[in-house]
Each structure stands twice: as structure tokens, then as C-alpha cells.
Amino acid sequence: MCGIVGFLDKSGNRQAAVGQTLLDMLSALDRRGPDSSGVAVYADRGADACVLRVKLGEHGPFETLADLVVERVKSLVSVSAVDVQGPSLRLVATPPENPESLERAIEAVGSSIEVVSLGSRLELVKQVGSPANLEATYAVSSYVGTHGIGHTRMSTESRVDLSHSQPFWAHGRADVAVVHNGHITNYHKMRRIYEQQGHRFYTGNDSEIIGLYLADRMAQGVSFADALQTSLADFDGAFSYLAATADSLGYVKDPFAFKPLVVTDTPAYVAIATEEQALRSALGDDFPVWEPGVNTVMTWTIENGAGS
Amino acid sequence: MKDIDCTDKTSRVINQEIRHYIQAGETEIHVHHPQARHNLGVAVLQPVSLTMTGSVGYYCGGLIDGPRIEVQGSCGWGLAESMLSGTVIVNQNAGNSAAASIRGGTIVVRGSASSRAGIAMKGGTLIVQGNSGYMTGFMMQKGTIIVCGDTAEALGDSMYEGRIFVGGRISDLGNDAVVEEVTDRDRAFLTTILAEYDIEAPASFQKIVSGRRLWQFDKKDFDTWREAL
């Protein structure tokens, strides 16, 4: 049992209060998952900028490690801003030619180091604890942008730490992130196949494989919407998940309809959540909601707001 | 008439207030700003009228015996689960498993119902004015489901008894669900009950009942059993 939420502004406002909306929705669902929480918010971050979020470790002190990582990144791309928030090091840099090789170079600095997110529009923060704690550490309510996704987790099969928290960035693919409620029951089988192909796994959380799958499909030239669609046949289990790219938001509802999800699609925005309470407490009473049917996928983009 | 404002109250406190007013002899209660909270109006055993002026969450009207509940918004999972008698009306859409295991009474969903509507019904009537989702009537044992719109995959899967009427398109039938001819008596029943709730009846209905092949195990049906379980 977890809570997942998503929001996309359709009005063309590039500075919608996405962080506040996601936080309000997550707070209404936090009893579904007290273990950890996180959000991914998409916004314009300046031309030719790339935001990197690096986890330095589970326990401090982090100053020395932060310095080493910054030094390494500066040797590869030019860095315009550095900020350390708890275990999370945030860097704004010029976009790397190859995100994957930059990621490898950073992670070679120390065994506790993990690139949590990378993207030109993506800002991803997560940690152990409630949405209220997330707000206390990262001031999520101040994040503005076009769209975003959020997660509050109740762990069932893997450990509780920052790495195992969600959203998951799709390692190696800039700006793609995922939040998931449910179980991918053919996870171990698919993981073995990916590992044989040389993909690295950072956690024992089955949700991690969704981002990897989407990144892999999109690297093969498959569109975001089509990658979501094929995941319905390629994953087994009871799952509802939301995924986002630099300009899109989409949901996937499993073939058994075991995991709840409600959607509202208004002229001003689209909002999706595990329970209707999240939509009502964040956005009010004046819109209808519906539950997606089994085996369905829908995506929206910020350019025209149209769903398909 | 009494009003209850849900703002800053837990479901438990709201339900205690409902009970308190009923004990005091009140027969009409309006519940405002429910904001999709779970378990509202559960286990009400008196013939009172409860109106939820917004949307409700899971298990609204569960275990009731006698009241009339109207939800002006939508509802979450397990609407009126295991109700014995009474009427529940939802003006917008219903979540998964509406009317789960009800033994009597009538439930009307004026919008569409999601997956497994009428699962394990043991009596009573579920009317869906719009469409109905995956596995509607799954393992139902008695009672009637009326869907005026279309139904999704696996309609009436593994149903033991009871009947399902569909006014729109049937996507496909579940295991051991079969189509039976609609009788004049069925038509009279449908006309009367839909008129009672001001629902315009579709031009015609199809009737689905149990094929009863799964009542006893027959190894010739092994593939069906494997699918059904």
C-alpha cells in the first residue's frame, strides 16, 4: 500500500504551484505510507542547464564527500550552482554529452554515492519520513513548474532508506521519473535479464525496474506513450504507476484492477491520485473523478494539454 | 433536519455525530464537505435519510439496514458493502466493488461504476445508469444487476446465481456466464424499477445468468476452472 499522485497544468502557466499541490495531495494520503515520501517537479531551469541530485550517503558527515563530488563534476562539465541539503547534493551544470558516463564518473567517487536524478527540467527530492518532513527539509511547497509526480511509501519487501524511496529517476535517461503503487511480480526475472545486459540496479525495490524499462524502451526509439503501453504486457502483477518526462505525464493501470487510481481531467489541469481524498483536499469539490479501466494507459503533454 | 460539517473531523467523530442525532430522533441529516473520507454512514440501522453533499471515500454506507443514503458526488471502493436493506444513490461515478456482498436493498449509481461492481452479491439490486467496469457481477450468488450502458471484460465471471441486465454493449462474458432470453416479466420489472429512479430505459436489454457448469467439478472443464480460479 502506497500513495501516488500526479499533476499537470494545462493553462500554459510555466510557474504553476506544482510543489504545493503535490504536497497537499501527499499529505492527504500519508497514512497510506508513513515510511518515506518524495516528489519530482518539472520546471524551466534556464537554457543549457542540467540539474543533478546526488545522494552522498545514509549517514553524515557529508562535507568531504560533497567536495569530492563537486570537484569530479567540475572536471567534466561546467558547474553554476552547488547546494547541500542533508544527504542530497544539488548541482546545476551544463548538460553532459553522455548522462550515463557522467553518472558513472560521479558514482566512482565513493560507494555510498548515487545519482538520484538528472535532467534539464526535473527536480527530484525524497527521503525517509512523512510529506511534512519532506517539506521541512526541502521546502517543496515553493517549487513551481508545469507538472510533477509524488509518492508516499509503505514498504513491503525492501528496505526503508533514501535510495529505496520514490519517485525513481530512470537512470541514464534525463528527466524520466516514475512513482508506483503495487508489485511487479516478474521483477527478479526481468532484473536478471537487464543485469546480463550490464544495467546496474541500485536497490532491491521492484519499482526501480519500471524506470529502467521505460528508459530502455525509449532508448530503442519507442515513444513514451508506447513504452507505457507495452509495459502492461511485459510486467506481471498488480500495479498502478505514474510516469513523467520533461513535457508529459501518464498513468498505467494493471490488467487486474487491484490497485486504486482516480483521475480528473479538467480544462485547467489533470490530476491523478491513489485516493479521491487527495484530489478533494488539494483541489476542491468542483470536478468529477473517474477510475481508469483495467489495462489502460493515458498520457498528457504540457504543450497542448490534450490527453491521449 | 440536522447539518454536520466534516471539516477537521475524523470519520469516527462524524459517524458518532450521525448516531447521536439518530438517537435523538432526527430523521434527516445532511453531511457537508465529506471530501472523500472513508467509512462514512456505516452501520446505520434506522430508516433515516442521510445526504452527503460531496464525494465520499471507501465503504460508504457499509453494513447498513434501512436508511436512504444519497451521495451527491462520487464514491470510492466498496460502496454499501454487505448492506441488508435500504437505498443508496450515488449521483456521480462509483469506485471498485460497488455493492460488494449486499444481501438486500437497492443501490443506484447515476454515473459509471468501476471494476467488480456487484461482486459476490447475495441479494438486492444494483442499478448503474452509465457503464460498468471489468468483472461486473464477479461471483454473484443472488440478486439483480442492471447496467444501462456498456460493460467491460469478463462480465458475470464465475457467477453462481442471480441475473445481470445490460442495455449497452457487452465487451465479453466471463467464465460460465451465459446469455438468456429476456422475458416479458423481466421487461415489466426493468421498466418499473428504472422509472422509480427516473432513469430512461435503454431500447432493449440482454440478460446474463450463470451457465451452472462450475457448480460441480468436471475434469472436462479443467481449463475453465484454471481460468476461473
Tab-separated table of all heavy atoms in Angstrom, chain B residues 76-114:
chain	number	residue	atom	x	y	z
B	76	GLY	N	-15.807	6.038	-3.432
B	76	GLY	CA	-14.633	5.173	-3.604
B	76	GLY	C	-15.006	3.700	-3.588
B	76	GLY	O	-16.117	3.320	-3.961
B	77	TRP	N	-14.076	2.859	-3.134
B	77	TRP	CA	-14.247	1.407	-3.192
B	77	TRP	C	-15.297	0.915	-2.184
B	77	TRP	O	-15.503	1.515	-1.135
B	77	TRP	CB	-12.914	0.709	-2.888
B	77	TRP	CG	-11.936	0.776	-4.028
B	77	TRP	CD1	-11.892	1.727	-5.002
B	77	TRP	CD2	-10.871	-0.145	-4.302
B	77	TRP	NE1	-10.857	1.442	-5.863
B	77	TRP	CE2	-10.222	0.322	-5.465
B	77	TRP	CE3	-10.405	-1.304	-3.671
B	77	TRP	CZ2	-9.122	-0.349	-6.021
B	77	TRP	CZ3	-9.317	-1.966	-4.217
B	77	TRP	CH2	-8.690	-1.498	-5.382
B	78	GLY	N	-15.953	-0.204	-2.513
B	78	GLY	CA	-16.794	-0.927	-1.558
B	78	GLY	C	-18.034	-0.187	-1.116
B	78	GLY	O	-18.437	-0.251	0.051
B	79	LEU	N	-18.704	0.502	-2.050
B	79	LEU	CA	-19.930	1.237	-1.697
B	79	LEU	C	-20.961	0.291	-1.070
B	79	LEU	O	-21.291	-0.740	-1.645
B	79	LEU	CB	-20.519	1.874	-2.975
B	79	LEU	CG	-21.889	2.533	-2.843
B	79	LEU	CD1	-21.800	3.811	-2.025
B	79	LEU	CD2	-22.482	2.828	-4.214
B	80	ALA	N	-21.464	0.664	0.123
B	80	ALA	CA	-22.548	-0.065	0.812
B	80	ALA	C	-22.264	-1.553	0.959
B	80	ALA	O	-23.180	-2.381	0.901
B	80	ALA	CB	-23.872	0.151	0.092
B	81	GLU	N	-21.018	-1.895	1.167
B	81	GLU	CA	-20.655	-3.305	1.284
B	81	GLU	C	-21.492	-4.006	2.354
B	81	GLU	O	-21.687	-3.496	3.450
B	81	GLU	CB	-19.166	-3.433	1.639
B	81	GLU	CG	-18.716	-4.882	1.628
B	81	GLU	CD	-17.244	-5.036	1.939
B	81	GLU	OE1	-16.755	-4.359	2.851
B	81	GLU	OE2	-16.590	-5.843	1.262
B	82	SER	N	-22.034	-5.169	1.995
B	82	SER	CA	-22.809	-6.006	2.922
B	82	SER	C	-24.065	-5.344	3.469
B	82	SER	O	-24.509	-5.673	4.570
B	82	SER	CB	-21.944	-6.491	4.094
B	82	SER	OG	-20.892	-7.270	3.604
B	83	MET	N	-24.670	-4.417	2.760
B	83	MET	CA	-25.910	-3.817	3.278
B	83	MET	C	-27.019	-4.872	3.318
B	83	MET	O	-27.032	-5.812	2.510
B	83	MET	CB	-26.337	-2.613	2.434
B	83	MET	CG	-27.043	-2.917	1.126
B	83	MET	SD	-27.383	-1.414	0.157
B	83	MET	CE	-28.918	-0.910	0.858
B	84	LEU	N	-27.921	-4.716	4.285
B	84	LEU	CA	-29.061	-5.642	4.407
B	84	LEU	C	-30.292	-5.095	3.714
B	84	LEU	O	-30.983	-5.800	2.997
B	84	LEU	CB	-29.378	-5.886	5.884
B	84	LEU	CG	-28.550	-6.936	6.595
B	84	LEU	CD1	-28.992	-7.039	8.049
B	84	LEU	CD2	-28.671	-8.284	5.917
B	85	SER	N	-30.597	-3.812	3.963
B	85	SER	CA	-31.736	-3.182	3.299
B	85	SER	C	-31.538	-1.684	3.301
B	85	SER	O	-30.683	-1.159	4.018
B	85	SER	CB	-33.041	-3.551	4.014
B	85	SER	OG	-33.097	-2.878	5.264
B	86	GLY	N	-32.336	-0.999	2.488
B	86	GLY	CA	-32.212	0.446	2.376
B	86	GLY	C	-31.954	0.837	0.936
B	86	GLY	O	-32.026	0.008	0.026
B	87	THR	N	-31.649	2.127	0.737
B	87	THR	CA	-31.386	2.640	-0.616
B	87	THR	C	-30.138	3.499	-0.573
B	87	THR	O	-29.985	4.327	0.329
B	87	THR	CB	-32.565	3.522	-1.098
B	87	THR	OG1	-33.777	2.785	-0.919
B	87	THR	CG2	-32.406	3.906	-2.556
B	88	VAL	N	-29.234	3.299	-1.533
B	88	VAL	CA	-28.041	4.141	-1.635
B	88	VAL	C	-27.977	4.676	-3.057
B	88	VAL	O	-28.019	3.897	-4.018
B	88	VAL	CB	-26.753	3.354	-1.299
B	88	VAL	CG1	-25.526	4.246	-1.464
B	88	VAL	CG2	-26.819	2.800	0.123
B	89	ILE	N	-27.913	6.000	-3.183
B	89	ILE	CA	-27.867	6.618	-4.509
B	89	ILE	C	-26.602	7.458	-4.617
B	89	ILE	O	-26.328	8.291	-3.750
B	89	ILE	CB	-29.115	7.493	-4.743
B	89	ILE	CG1	-30.351	6.588	-4.765
B	89	ILE	CG2	-28.998	8.276	-6.055
B	89	ILE	CD1	-31.655	7.299	-4.829
B	90	VAL	N	-25.826	7.206	-5.664
B	90	VAL	CA	-24.599	7.982	-5.903
B	90	VAL	C	-24.801	8.754	-7.204
B	90	VAL	O	-25.076	8.160	-8.243
B	90	VAL	CB	-23.369	7.059	-6.005
B	90	VAL	CG1	-22.129	7.847	-6.389
B	90	VAL	CG2	-23.146	6.342	-4.685
B	91	ASN	N	-24.693	10.072	-7.160
B	91	ASN	CA	-25.019	10.875	-8.341
B	91	ASN	C	-23.921	10.901	-9.395
B	91	ASN	O	-24.190	11.186	-10.548
B	91	ASN	CB	-25.372	12.301	-7.922
B	91	ASN	CG	-26.754	12.349	-7.293
B	91	ASN	OD1	-27.542	11.413	-7.446
B	91	ASN	ND2	-27.053	13.412	-6.580
B	92	GLN	N	-22.659	10.645	-8.992
B	92	GLN	CA	-21.589	10.605	-9.980
B	92	GLN	C	-21.043	9.177	-10.079
B	92	GLN	O	-21.796	8.218	-9.940
B	92	GLN	CB	-20.524	11.644	-9.653
B	92	GLN	CG	-21.089	13.074	-9.769
B	92	GLN	CD	-20.071	14.135	-9.424
B	92	GLN	OE1	-18.879	13.895	-9.310
B	92	GLN	NE2	-20.558	15.352	-9.241
B	93	ASN	N	-19.719	9.026	-10.275
B	93	ASN	CA	-19.166	7.692	-10.518
B	93	ASN	C	-18.886	6.918	-9.220
B	93	ASN	O	-18.680	7.512	-8.170
B	93	ASN	CB	-17.857	7.812	-11.300
B	93	ASN	CG	-18.076	8.466	-12.648
B	93	ASN	OD1	-19.128	8.304	-13.251
B	93	ASN	ND2	-17.089	9.214	-13.122
B	94	ALA	N	-18.853	5.603	-9.338
B	94	ALA	CA	-18.539	4.750	-8.183
B	94	ALA	C	-17.215	4.029	-8.426
B	94	ALA	O	-16.918	3.615	-9.547
B	94	ALA	CB	-19.648	3.737	-7.960
B	95	GLY	N	-16.431	3.847	-7.356
B	95	GLY	CA	-15.151	3.134	-7.438
B	95	GLY	C	-15.366	1.630	-7.493
B	95	GLY	O	-16.488	1.120	-7.592
B	96	ASN	N	-14.240	0.925	-7.385
B	96	ASN	CA	-14.206	-0.535	-7.430
B	96	ASN	C	-15.188	-1.176	-6.430
B	96	ASN	O	-15.414	-0.641	-5.357
B	96	ASN	CB	-12.775	-0.925	-7.032
B	96	ASN	CG	-12.340	-2.216	-7.640
B	96	ASN	OD1	-13.127	-3.121	-7.804
B	96	ASN	ND2	-11.079	-2.290	-7.987
B	97	SER	N	-15.761	-2.326	-6.812
B	97	SER	CA	-16.543	-3.158	-5.884
B	97	SER	C	-17.754	-2.468	-5.270
B	97	SER	O	-18.026	-2.639	-4.079
B	97	SER	CB	-15.659	-3.694	-4.748
B	97	SER	OG	-14.566	-4.377	-5.281
B	98	ALA	N	-18.479	-1.690	-6.051
B	98	ALA	CA	-19.725	-1.127	-5.530
B	98	ALA	C	-20.690	-2.273	-5.250
B	98	ALA	O	-20.739	-3.253	-5.992
B	98	ALA	CB	-20.338	-0.171	-6.562
B	99	ALA	N	-21.452	-2.168	-4.166
B	99	ALA	CA	-22.459	-3.170	-3.795
B	99	ALA	C	-21.864	-4.539	-3.483
B	99	ALA	O	-22.534	-5.562	-3.630
B	99	ALA	CB	-23.523	-3.310	-4.887
B	100	ALA	N	-20.623	-4.581	-3.034
B	100	ALA	CA	-19.986	-5.857	-2.714
B	100	ALA	C	-20.762	-6.594	-1.642
B	100	ALA	O	-21.087	-6.034	-0.596
B	100	ALA	CB	-18.553	-5.618	-2.251
B	101	SER	N	-21.106	-7.858	-1.922
B	101	SER	CA	-21.745	-8.736	-0.923
B	101	SER	C	-23.044	-8.204	-0.338
B	101	SER	O	-23.403	-8.590	0.767
B	101	SER	CB	-20.780	-9.037	0.246
B	101	SER	OG	-19.739	-9.838	-0.212
B	102	ILE	N	-23.774	-7.353	-1.030
B	102	ILE	CA	-25.028	-6.881	-0.412
B	102	ILE	C	-26.042	-8.029	-0.357
B	102	ILE	O	-26.040	-8.928	-1.192
B	102	ILE	CB	-25.635	-5.646	-1.125
B	102	ILE	CG1	-26.064	-5.961	-2.567
B	102	ILE	CG2	-24.679	-4.476	-1.094
B	102	ILE	CD1	-26.936	-4.870	-3.188
B	103	ARG	N	-26.904	-7.978	0.661
B	103	ARG	CA	-27.923	-9.025	0.837
B	103	ARG	C	-29.314	-8.524	0.467
B	103	ARG	O	-30.241	-9.299	0.324
B	103	ARG	CB	-27.923	-9.524	2.278
B	103	ARG	CG	-26.690	-10.360	2.569
B	103	ARG	CD	-26.630	-10.827	4.001
B	103	ARG	NE	-25.463	-11.673	4.157
B	103	ARG	CZ	-25.443	-12.986	3.947
B	103	ARG	NH1	-26.538	-13.608	3.574
B	103	ARG	NH2	-24.338	-13.668	4.112
B	104	GLY	N	-29.482	-7.218	0.391
B	104	GLY	CA	-30.788	-6.675	0.047
B	104	GLY	C	-30.670	-5.193	-0.215
B	104	GLY	O	-29.567	-4.642	-0.213
B	105	GLY	N	-31.806	-4.555	-0.465
B	105	GLY	CA	-31.808	-3.125	-0.713
B	105	GLY	C	-31.462	-2.801	-2.155
B	105	GLY	O	-31.263	-3.686	-2.989
B	106	THR	N	-31.416	-1.487	-2.442
B	106	THR	CA	-31.166	-1.038	-3.812
B	106	THR	C	-30.054	-0.005	-3.833
B	106	THR	O	-30.029	0.907	-2.996
B	106	THR	CB	-32.450	-0.412	-4.413
B	106	THR	OG1	-33.496	-1.378	-4.321
B	106	THR	CG2	-32.245	-0.013	-5.869
B	107	ILE	N	-29.139	-0.153	-4.792
B	107	ILE	CA	-28.063	0.819	-4.978
B	107	ILE	C	-28.173	1.361	-6.390
B	107	ILE	O	-28.310	0.596	-7.348
B	107	ILE	CB	-26.689	0.152	-4.764
B	107	ILE	CG1	-26.554	-0.273	-3.300
B	107	ILE	CG2	-25.560	1.102	-5.165
B	107	ILE	CD1	-25.292	-1.034	-2.992
B	108	VAL	N	-28.146	2.683	-6.509
B	108	VAL	CA	-28.211	3.314	-7.831
B	108	VAL	C	-26.962	4.165	-8.024
B	108	VAL	O	-26.666	5.031	-7.202
B	108	VAL	CB	-29.465	4.213	-7.956
B	108	VAL	CG1	-29.500	4.878	-9.332
B	108	VAL	CG2	-30.732	3.414	-7.709
B	109	VAL	N	-26.223	3.888	-9.091
B	109	VAL	CA	-25.066	4.717	-9.451
B	109	VAL	C	-25.458	5.472	-10.715
B	109	VAL	O	-25.659	4.871	-11.771
B	109	VAL	CB	-23.811	3.846	-9.706
B	109	VAL	CG1	-22.640	4.709	-10.174
B	109	VAL	CG2	-23.435	3.062	-8.451
B	110	ARG	N	-25.588	6.793	-10.615
B	110	ARG	CA	-26.060	7.561	-11.775
B	110	ARG	C	-24.958	7.798	-12.798
B	110	ARG	O	-25.221	8.046	-13.970
B	110	ARG	CB	-26.682	8.878	-11.323
B	110	ARG	CG	-27.918	8.669	-10.447
B	110	ARG	CD	-28.851	9.869	-10.506
B	110	ARG	NE	-29.985	9.688	-9.607
B	110	ARG	CZ	-31.098	9.021	-9.928
B	110	ARG	NH1	-31.204	8.457	-11.120
B	110	ARG	NH2	-32.081	8.895	-9.059
B	111	GLY	N	-23.711	7.722	-12.383
B	111	GLY	CA	-22.591	7.795	-13.324
B	111	GLY	C	-22.211	6.388	-13.745
B	111	GLY	O	-23.071	5.541	-13.976
B	112	SER	N	-20.893	6.131	-13.836
B	112	SER	CA	-20.410	4.795	-14.188
B	112	SER	C	-19.817	4.112	-12.968
B	112	SER	O	-19.337	4.768	-12.046
B	112	SER	CB	-19.358	4.894	-15.287
B	112	SER	OG	-19.968	5.269	-16.504
B	113	ALA	N	-19.842	2.783	-12.991
B	113	ALA	CA	-19.236	2.012	-11.905
B	113	ALA	C	-17.929	1.416	-12.408
B	113	ALA	O	-17.809	1.053	-13.572
B	113	ALA	CB	-20.183	0.910	-11.451
B	114	SER	N	-16.947	1.301	-11.503
B	114	SER	CA	-15.632	0.772	-11.880
B	114	SER	C	-15.629	-0.766	-11.810
B	114	SER	O	-16.683	-1.392	-11.848
B	114	SER	CB	-14.581	1.392	-10.961
B	114	SER	OG	-13.297	1.018	-11.367
